[in-house]
């Protein structure tokens, strides 16, 4: 892992979302604004870095206020010995190669039903695919998601390489935000 390109060092507290239960297996941290300001985009940014000496690759999510937050997996917590409430020092750097995004099953099934949409999907960059996925999954209601999948496949089939007119940072549409921390669960 080459962190020398643009190393961003900061401290953050490991938190659990307020909507979680004790059996949930994920936590998060919010990047200080000074750290977010050093990133190349207000929208999703893929990074590589270290937490307590453990290396990780992740995509930071926008918080809708010009900053970012990081979902910390249960696996990373176990490997790095992290616990909710820990104050952590992180070192991150934007990745030079964009990772392939995880495609939701319902969108994968829809793409499989349209050869033209599937061909364009395979021809676009991982960053463009991530934009399509974010646009589809940012809808709050199941009906909205279904409509966006149908429209997305239609637009892809017509050759469109990016979704139009959606706020990738969440700053203007209020569609993206950082989870709210459950302070009662901190150790």
């Amino acid at each position: 892992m080459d962190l020398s390109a643009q190393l961003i060092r900061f401290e953050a507290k490991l938190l659990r979302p307020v909507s979680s239960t004790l059996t949930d297996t994920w936590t998060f941290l919010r990047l200080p604004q000074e750290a977010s300001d050093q990133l190349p985009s207000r929208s999703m940014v893929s990074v590589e870095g270290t937490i307590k000496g453990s290396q990780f690759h992740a995509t930071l999510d926008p918080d809708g206020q010009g900053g970012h937050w990081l979902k910390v997996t249960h696996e990373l917590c176990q490997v790095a010995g992290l616990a909710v409430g820990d104050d952590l020092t992180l070192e991150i750097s934007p990745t030079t190669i964009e990772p392939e995004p995880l495609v939701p099953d319902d969108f994968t099934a829809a793409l499989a039903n349209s050869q033209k949409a599937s061909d364009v999907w395979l021809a676009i960059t991982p960053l463009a695919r991530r934009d399509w996925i974010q646009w589809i999954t940012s809808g709050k209601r199941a009906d909205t998601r279904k409509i966006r999948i149908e429209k997305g496949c239609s637009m892809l089939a017509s050759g469109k390489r990016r979704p139009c007119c959606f706020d990738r940072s969440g700053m203007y549409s209020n569609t993206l935000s950082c989870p709210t921390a459950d302070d009662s669960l901190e150790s």
Side-chain angles (χ1 to χ4, degrees):
M1 172 180 328
D2 179 18
L3 293 176
S4 62
Q6 179 187 353
L7 188 63
I8 303 167
R9 184 183 172 104
F10 61 93
E11 293 184 6
K13 184 179 286 286
L14 188 63
L15 305 166
R16 183 178 309 281
V18 72
S19 61
S20 69
T21 65
L22 293 177
T23 59
D24 278 347
T25 59
W26 70 279
T27 53
F28 74 98
L29 57 85
R30 187 177 191 136
L31 276 68
Q33 191 62 49
E34 303 79 43
S36 282
D37 288 346
Q38 296 178 58
L39 294 167
S41 171
R42 297 302 102 217
S43 64
M44 296 173 112
V45 178
S46 295
V47 297
E48 52 190 25
T50 59
I51 298 178
K52 287 181 78 173
S54 294
Q55 294 184 350
F56 69 95
H57 295 266
T59 299
L60 304 175
D61 286 301
D63 67 4
Q65 298 175 0
H68 297 86
W69 64 278
L70 170 65
K71 182 176 182 177
V72 182
T73 64
H74 178 67
E75 294 77 19
L76 181 56
C77 286
Q78 285 186 318
V79 168
L82 309 177
V84 173
D86 284 354
D87 290 314
L88 306 170
T89 299
L90 287 84
E91 292 183 337
I92 62 170
S93 178
T95 59
T96 54
I97 298 174
E98 188 66 34
E100 194 61 45
L102 180 63
V103 183
D105 291 341
D106 51 354
F107 189 41
T108 299
L111 286 169
N113 290 327
S114 171
Q115 186 62 48
K116 287 183 179 181
S118 184
D119 289 346
V120 172
W121 180 258
L122 294 174
I124 61 177
T125 66
L127 184 59
R129 287 192 282 272
R130 186 178 73 191
D131 283 350
W132 281 104
I133 293 166
Q134 182 182 5
W135 176 69
I136 287 168
T137 60
S138 66
K140 302 287 186 226
R141 298 181 352 200
D143 289 346
T144 302
R145 182 181 175 117
K146 183 177 178 182
I147 290 167
R148 286 185 183 180
I149 288 173
E150 291 169 3
K151 284 183 180 179
C153 285
S154 175
M155 288 188 284
L156 284 162
S158 71
K160 190 165 189 171
R161 300 174 71 80
R162 295 272 185 157
C164 172
C165 309
F166 85 103
D167 176 18
R168 296 175 70 217
S169 69
M171 293 172 57
Y172 308 104
S173 62
N174 296 320
T175 57
L176 304 172
S177 64
C178 181
T180 302
D182 185 347
D183 295 332
S184 68
L185 295 176
E186 290 184 26
S187 51

